[in-house]
């Protein structure tokens, strides 16, 4: 594992308590480190500082020194160095800590500031909370509870602004709710690099707008919904569907590419309602692509492979075919590490060739990489493959044509999409395991219904060789079986060494047999993953280009 | 959008005054409005390209300042002061007179295309209130009679132009 450099520390005083915090961080972050909340709207740790909402006002003081002699000025009464307090409040987001800095976050002045800012923010804010999607995760609601006066002194007419602007295909804007923090504007400029949002007009008429004729349509647009502190920006998909407090949160991983953005899956009673990014400063910061958020729809998609026959019968039929010899194994870069481990073992037991199907697309330089399999690295680590996979299975096709292969075990892939003809499929017996139906499952002698990533648990290894875990958010489709369990039982049925199929047993085998996984256990994996030693594969020319927090290996290595 | 060669030359020159190109946004908007009278959408996009910005960045500035006009105005811009001193001695009457003379409404282009009448805030000549600024020229003590006089003068000029 690569350890980050130890940051230089400075001592500051927060509400009378001396604390050591990393040099250069701002007051909001310093306070957060000691469990003190400084309320804020416009500040976002992954965006530049705008300093426009003024919610984060604090009192600031510095130790007094004599100008002429540079000697500390002592306070007679306490015997300590005197503190010069700045008479006016300062913004915490725009103030970086320096040695000896004194900060008050709970003084009367600070409290009055917060109340004042809240009162101004609320005078034009609509009373929408009962119908607002943000309710329950709204910063304005939270701060109003803490610092609102509870009744309004405003007797004038509230402002009227556009209520329902479709900013792009996935984002709706309610301008009356906007607190003009500019987070969405800065996100579009700085992260998505699609500068289309801005404020027009001024004063209480300021209105968030997309440049006329343009759209907020980039593949990162929904991050603006996540970071909007209020309910001004909402997701077309999630809008009015569910109250957030009813939803269960499950940690997961975005499977759309080898970036492996960390996610949270929000579900209720077995139904998923939305996917949002989960902060991982080494992988995706606080962002994820829009394309990864709709993947939950595969759980209830029309092309799901429906279970047929009992698992025992299917396994018996499958193992009979496999034991007959002449087997080839097509594993998947979409399978979890655990599933790939069993797939590799089945191949080994049957002395079959194994491969996976590569899936390439254009990398966007942010959080979708060129390798559209989430777990190509897992296939390497588990020994399912030894070199980089190809998009077309030409070797398998040749082997089928030559009559060398009688049976193909296919995990999740569609062989026709990987270059095999219907003729070639017809020449072999196919055993298929996967969650969606395709030409291969239709041609299969035995097809076993598996689960989507949202219905099972396991790990993936992303492009950085970071081992990351995901957990099942919703129960699996009735009658379908966890792919890991199916593969473990299939391995046993073809005479392989039996290991329990539960995660703990699989991991004890994994850590015993695979040297880079030595000493690891599923239960102990940190939520933000663990970087593995990748030197064994440093010679491979992986397809990924640069993305957030990822630099491809040097040109020589990839050449 | 047809800019005069002089405007284009001044634009290129003014950009060199700033360490960052984007600082040229305001001066460019002024120069273009001086030249063609208002800021059409085309101008916003033209400036954005010229200063390597996105159109939204220029659009924000245009809408922030009320002095930038999004629509064409009349040949002359009649700005009637309505701040306290002027208001007290009849600025509203003066303004109505102008509107009546040119058969127009506040902020609109008169049917003959000659003028646009608008209220503005203090023109810093309170001692000679009511005051009216027509383009760059200050007119003092403009009561209704003087407003009529000025209007006639403008109409005469228009007739002469043919
Ligand atoms: S829409 Fe939301 S994120 Fe954007 S400026 Fe308004 S409050 Fe801030
Ligand atoms: S968070 Fe500091 S001014 Fe908005
Ligand atoms: S009030 Fe009209 S010029 Fe000052």
């Amino acid at each position: 594992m690569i350890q980050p450099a130890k940051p230089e520390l400075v001592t500051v005083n927060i509400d009378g308590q001396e604390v050591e915090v990393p040099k250069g961080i701002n007051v909001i972050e310093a306070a957060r480190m000691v469990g003190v909340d400084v309320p804020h709207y416009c500040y976002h740790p992954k965006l530049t500082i705008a300093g426009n909402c003024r919610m984060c006002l604090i009192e600031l003081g510095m130790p007094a020194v004599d100008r002429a002699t540079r000697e500390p000025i002592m306070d007679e009464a306490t015997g300590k160095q005197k503190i010069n307090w700045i008479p006016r409040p300062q913004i915490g987001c725009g103030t970086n800590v320096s040695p000896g800095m004194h900060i008050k976050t709970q003084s009367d002045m600070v409290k009055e500031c917060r109340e004042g800012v809240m009162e101004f923010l609320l005078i034009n804010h609509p009373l929408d909370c009962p119908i607002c999607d943000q309710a329950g995760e709204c910063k304005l609601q939270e701060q109003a509870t803490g610092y609102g006066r509870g009744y309004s002194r405003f007797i004038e007419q509230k402002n009227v602004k556009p209520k329902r602007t479709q900013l792009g295909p996935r984002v709706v804007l309610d301008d009356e709710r906007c607190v003009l923090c500019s987070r969405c504007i800065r996100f579009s400029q700085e992260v998505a690099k699609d500068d289309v949002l801005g404020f027009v007009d001024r004063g209480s008429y300021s209105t968030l707008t997309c440049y006329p004729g343009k759209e907020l349509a980039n593949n990162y647009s929904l991050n603006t919904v996540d970071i909007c502190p209020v309910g001004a920006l909402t997701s077309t998909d999630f809008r009015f569907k569910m109250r957030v407090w009813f939803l269960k949160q499950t940690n997961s991983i975005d499977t759309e590419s080898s970036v492996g953005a960390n996610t949270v899956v929000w579900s209720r009673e077995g139904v998923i309602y939305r996917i949002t990014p989960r902060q991982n400063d080494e992988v995706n910061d606080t962002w994820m692509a829009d394309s990864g958020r709709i993947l939950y729809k595969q759980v209830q998609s029309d092309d799901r492979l429906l279970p047929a026959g009992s698992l025992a019968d299917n396994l018996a039929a499958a193992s009979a075919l496999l034991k007959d010899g002449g087997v080839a194994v097509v594993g998947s870069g979409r399978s979890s590490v655990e599933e790939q481990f069993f797939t590799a073992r089945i191949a080994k037991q049957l002395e079959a060739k194994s491969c996976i199907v590569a899936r390439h697309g254009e990398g966007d330089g942010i959080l979708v990489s060129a390798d559209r399999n989430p777990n190509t690295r897992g296939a390497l680590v588990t020994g399912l493959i030894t070199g980089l996979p190809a998009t077309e299975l030409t070797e398998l096709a040749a082997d089928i044509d030559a009559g060398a292969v009688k049976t193909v075990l296919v995990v999740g892939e569609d062989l026709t999409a990987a270059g095999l003809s219907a003729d070639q499929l017809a020449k072999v017996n196919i055993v298929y395991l996967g969650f969606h139906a395709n030409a291969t499952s239709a041609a299969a002698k035995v097809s076993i219904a598996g689960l989507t990533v949202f219905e099972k648990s396991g790990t993936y290894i992303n492009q950085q060789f970071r081992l990351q875990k995901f957990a099942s958010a919703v129960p699996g489709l009735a009658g379908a079986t966890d792919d890991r369990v199916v593969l473990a039982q299939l391995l046993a049925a073809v005479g392989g060494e039996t290991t329990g199929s539960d995660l703990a047993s699989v991991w004890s085998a994994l850590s015993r047999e695979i040297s880079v996984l030595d000493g690891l256990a599923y239960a102990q994996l940190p939520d933000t993953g663990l970087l593995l030693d990748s030197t064994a594969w440093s010679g491979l020319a992986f397809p990924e280009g640069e993305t957030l927090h990822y630099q491809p290996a040097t040109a020589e290595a990839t050449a | 959008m047809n800019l005069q060669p002089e405007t284009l030359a001044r634009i290129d020159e003014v950009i060199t005054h700033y360490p960052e190109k984007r600082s040229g946004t305001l001066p460019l908007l002024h120069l273009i409005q001086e030249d063609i009278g208002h800021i059409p959408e085309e101008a916003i996009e033209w400036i954005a390209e010229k200063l390597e910005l996105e159109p939204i960045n220029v659009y924000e500035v245009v809408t922030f300042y009320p002095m930038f006009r999004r629509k064409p105005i009349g040949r002359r811009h009649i700005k009637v002061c309505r701040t306290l001193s002027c208001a007290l001695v009849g600025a509203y009457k003066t303004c109505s007179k102008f509107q009546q003379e040119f058969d127009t409404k506040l902020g609109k282009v008169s049917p003959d295309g000659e003028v646009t009448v608008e209220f503005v805030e203090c023109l810093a000549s309170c001692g000679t209130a009511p005051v009216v600024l027509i383009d760059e020229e200050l007119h003092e003590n403009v009561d209704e009679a003087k407003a009529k006089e000025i209007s006639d003068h403008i109409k005469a000029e228009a007739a002469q132009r043919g």
Side-chain angles (χ1 to χ4, degrees), chain A residues 4 64 79 95 122 176 213 215 236 242 295 315 356 364 425 483 521:
Chain A
T95 307
L122 290 174
E176 290 184 345
E215 271 195 322
T236 337
M242 184 49 69
L295 294 180
L315 283 171
I356 66 169
D364 65 3
L425 289 200
D483 308 53

Side-chain angles (χ1 to χ4, degrees), chain A residues 131-135 137 234 238-244:
Chain A
I131 54 143
C132 177
D133 272 305
Q134 194 81 0
E137 52 181 9
T234 49
F238 183 65
R239 202 168 145 85
F240 303 139
K241 295 266 167 67
M242 184 49 69
R243 282 309 193 184
V244 292

Side-chain angles (χ1 to χ4, degrees), chain A residues 302-317:
Chain A
D302 294 336
D303 68 352
R304 266 203 91 151
L305 179 61
L306 300 174
S310 79
L311 180 63
D313 291 349
N314 284 332
L315 283 171

Side-chain angles (χ1 to χ4, degrees), chain A residues 357-438:
Chain A
V357 182
R359 205 169 264 111
H360 292 155
E362 198 153 342
D364 65 3
I366 310 176
L367 286 173
V368 178
S369 68
D371 182 352
R372 298 299 166 86
N373 275 330
N375 202 20
T376 305
R377 306 302 195 274
L380 289 166
V381 168
T382 52
L384 182 60
I385 53 172
T386 48
L388 288 182
T391 44
E392 305 256 303
L393 301 176
T394 43
E395 197 182 333
L396 177 63
D399 286 349
I400 293 176
D401 287 339
V405 169
K406 284 196 300 183
T407 302
V408 189
L409 169 62
V410 186
V411 183
E413 298 293 348
D414 180 8
L415 299 182
T416 54
L420 268 68
S421 66
D423 270 0
Q424 286 164 331
L425 289 200
K427 282 189 206 160
V428 290
N429 300 315
I430 296 171
V431 175
Y432 178 88
L433 163 65
F435 72 83
H436 59 45
N438 53 30

